[in-house]
Amino acid sequence: MIFRTMLLASAMAVGVLGVSGSASAADNKEVQMLHWWTSGGEAAALNVLKQYLAKEGYAWKDVPVAGGGGEAAMTTLKAMVAGGNPPTASQILGYFALDYAEAGKLADVSALAEKEGWAKVIPTALQRFTTTDGKWDAIPINIHSVNWIWVNKALMEKIGGKEPKNFDEFVALLDKAKAAGAIPLALGGQPWQEATMFDSVVMSTGGPAFYKKAFIDLDESALKSETMKKSFDNLAKLRGYVDPNYAGRDWNLATAMVIKGDALLQVMGDWAKGEFKTANKEPGKDYLCYRFPGTDGTVIYNTDMFALFDVPADRKAAQLALADATMSPEVQSAFNVIKGSVPARTDVPDTAFDMCGKKGIADVKAANAKGTFVGSLAQNYAQPPAIGTGAYHDVVTKFFHGEIKNSDGAVTELVKAINAAK
Ligand code: BGC
């Protein structure tokens, strides 16, 4: 039912947009971008790109589809592409891009990539998603990571808390907040948010080698292991710290609870930092950014890429202008300072970034060198969407909301769902 409603909404969006493939002078200068950047911080970051292109004489046409994690956006994109009306570009995550590449729906901007030497400055892990058979068809604007916690500093001081270094200390900190009458954990009970949090819980419980075995290799013995059961048991512990109204809440409203001091902390990707920034809050003064307890030294990443669609000839110049702007060191710095993420280009200096941004940049570099830079399963950087957004989100959310009763049941259901989705 929900799926049907979403399809209908997508079809309507396509109808309203009515993008034609025919050439006209106006079309030539327009960049049409589908994305799910509808929160305050996200919109402010996107403005950097819009303004840069405006200066170059390009008009911007937004196709915003609200819904963190991009599930609804991907449904709209599918309808647009199927209808022969692809946007100039779409925000996209990992394996979603590979599907469009395989279906031959993407453009080839290799000439520009070559001229500007992108291959030398983009981490090889990301190039797996931005290129197909050596051809560039998507561009990365950033590197986000999901294993962070965002803490209200005043509340932390009030309860006498300190940075938790492992999962047990994390639970002890949440207990302290509870005892002081604060909401310990700000959460939006939506499948993608719960699954994104679970990525960190698994990393904290099992470490990077376990995470890779289970989520990258899909090793069945790891998926069914005592460590995975313990990860679900740890997730279950977190249920006790959310407020009664958490179900269905948007992620940025959960961030706002921390900003206002109604809740102690949020477990969320570093797009949360964009919300603190647009609320004029400063790290170290108003809030604290820590790696999810027990995951220091690892980065569970998701990158926002723009998939470049194979648009008619009259729209290609605008597409190249977008690619050029996105990959410019200037935009990569200014955009990510606001967005909360770190530049996808490894040659962008950290000078303009705040302390959390500087830590993010250093962490990516160190994790890349150590082999602990791993894709987020919840964000479709570890497996194709049928497994990430599909099987994984579904099992984690059913467990978190009590539909799957215990961790034995959870690992059984996880293996079953993953095998069915393969
Ligand atoms: C994207 C971020 C975005 C977040 C919430 C993630 O999937 O990578 O750019 O801010 O969803 O909307």
Side-chain angles (χ1 to χ4, degrees):
M1 180 62 193
I2 292 174
F3 185 61
R4 271 195 14 226
T5 314
M6 277 181 357
L7 273 184
L8 190 66
S10 314
M12 281 165 59
V14 175
V16 170
L17 290 165
V19 186
S20 87
S22 63
S24 86
D27 276 344
N28 284 341
K29 285 282 189 183
E30 182 177 278
V31 171
Q32 189 195 40
M33 165 84 85
L34 189 146
H35 61 86
W36 60 95
W37 284 331
T38 53
S39 80
E42 293 172 332
L46 189 55
N47 250 340
V48 170
L49 192 56
K50 287 184 194 176
Q51 280 166 7
Y52 186 100
L53 282 163
K55 269 197 249 143
E56 301 205 330
Y58 289 93
W60 185 274
K61 184 161 181 182
D62 261 324
V63 188
V65 186
E71 214 175 322
M74 288 302 97
T75 309
T76 300
L77 179 62
K78 203 170 177 177
M80 288 180 77
V81 174
N85 295 317
T88 314
S90 173
Q91 181 190 0
I92 205 157
L93 298 172
Y95 281 85
F96 273 111
L98 300 189
D99 285 351
Y100 285 107
E102 230 168 74
K105 298 292 183 194
L106 300 185
D108 178 2
V109 294
S110 302
L112 183 64
E114 192 126 321
K115 188 171 139 243
E116 298 191 349
W118 296 348
K120 283 186 250 121
V121 293
I122 298 299
T124 35
L126 301 191
Q127 290 188 40
R128 150 136 213 257
F129 298 102
T130 56
T131 60
T132 310
D133 301 328
K135 288 185 302 189
W136 285 77
D137 47 25
I139 43 175
I141 185 138
N142 64 11
I143 300 173
H144 271 302
S145 56
V146 305
N147 56 317
W148 289 102
I149 62 174
W150 307 91
V151 185
N152 180 291
K153 187 166 179 229
L155 208 45
M156 187 76 154
E157 277 164 6
K158 192 170 149 208
I159 65 168
K162 61 173 185 11
E163 180 182 357
K165 286 297 194 183
N166 54 45
F167 196 82
D168 289 344
E169 288 181 20
F170 185 48
V171 169
L173 176 66
L174 296 171
D175 273 331
K176 252 180 192 284
K178 199 172 186 175
I183 298 167
L185 178 59
L187 178 69
Q190 296 173 345
W192 77 269
Q193 291 188 58
E194 291 150 352
T196 301
M197 180 164 81
F198 191 53
D199 281 352
S200 294
V201 174
V202 172
M203 182 64 84
S204 171
T205 310
F210 175 75
Y211 182 100
K212 282 192 215 165
K213 207 166 168 200
F215 287 170
I216 311 285
D217 304 343
L218 293 184
D219 179 295
E220 200 164 313
S221 66
L223 288 167
K224 281 201 252 188
S225 65
E226 288 307 311
T227 307
M228 189 58 82
K229 284 185 203 164
K230 185 155 181 230
S231 302
F232 276 105
D233 288 335
N234 281 341
L235 180 66
K237 286 185 193 158
L238 300 183
R239 270 187 217 136
Y241 301 104
V242 300
D243 66 306
N245 302 322
Y246 84 101
R249 175 187 289 138
D250 286 335
W251 69 272
N252 53 319
L253 301 182
T255 313
M257 291 165 69
V258 179
I259 292 175
K260 282 192 240 144
D262 294 339
L264 177 65
L265 62 87
Q266 181 184 22
V267 179
M268 188 47 69
D270 38 19
W271 46 91
K273 207 191 78 179
E275 300 305 296
F276 284 95
K277 189 160 174 63
T278 37
N280 289 320
K281 301 293 178 194
E282 275 177 43
K285 181 169 159 267
D286 305 307
Y287 69 98
L288 305 160
C289 55
Y290 299 136
R291 284 292 170 189
F292 186 90
T295 70
D296 232 339
T298 67
V299 170
I300 310 176
Y301 77 90
N302 71 308
T303 280
D304 289 306
M305 300 186 296
F306 300 150
L308 302 170
F309 284 88
D310 188 15
V311 289
D314 63 300
R315 294 170 62 194
K316 284 196 192 296
Q319 185 175 61
L320 284 173
L322 169 71
D324 199 38
T326 302
M327 296 301 284
S328 80
E330 184 189 336
V331 168
Q332 292 249 333
S333 180
F335 176 95
N336 288 304
V337 160
I338 301 175
K339 185 69 169 66
S341 34
V342 313
R345 291 183 69 116
T346 51
D347 60 344
V348 174
D350 71 359
T351 19
F353 288 79
D354 62 27
M355 59 187 279
C356 302
K358 284 189 168 58
K359 177 170 167 52
I361 291 172
D363 285 355
V364 165
K365 201 169 168 202
N368 239 326
K370 261 199 336 196
T372 54
F373 182 71
V374 293
S376 158
L377 180 55
Q379 297 279 327
N380 299 294
Y381 271 91
Q383 297 295 334
I387 295 177
T389 294
Y392 183 61
H393 284 200
D394 195 44
V395 171
V396 172
T397 204
K398 279 187 178 144
F399 175 78
F400 199 77
H401 293 264
E403 234 179 282
I404 297 173
K405 295 279 174 270
N406 54 38
S407 55
D408 273 322
V411 299
T412 308
E413 291 302 320
L414 186 60
V415 169
K416 224 193 330 180
I418 287 176
N419 284 339
K422 266 184 190 166

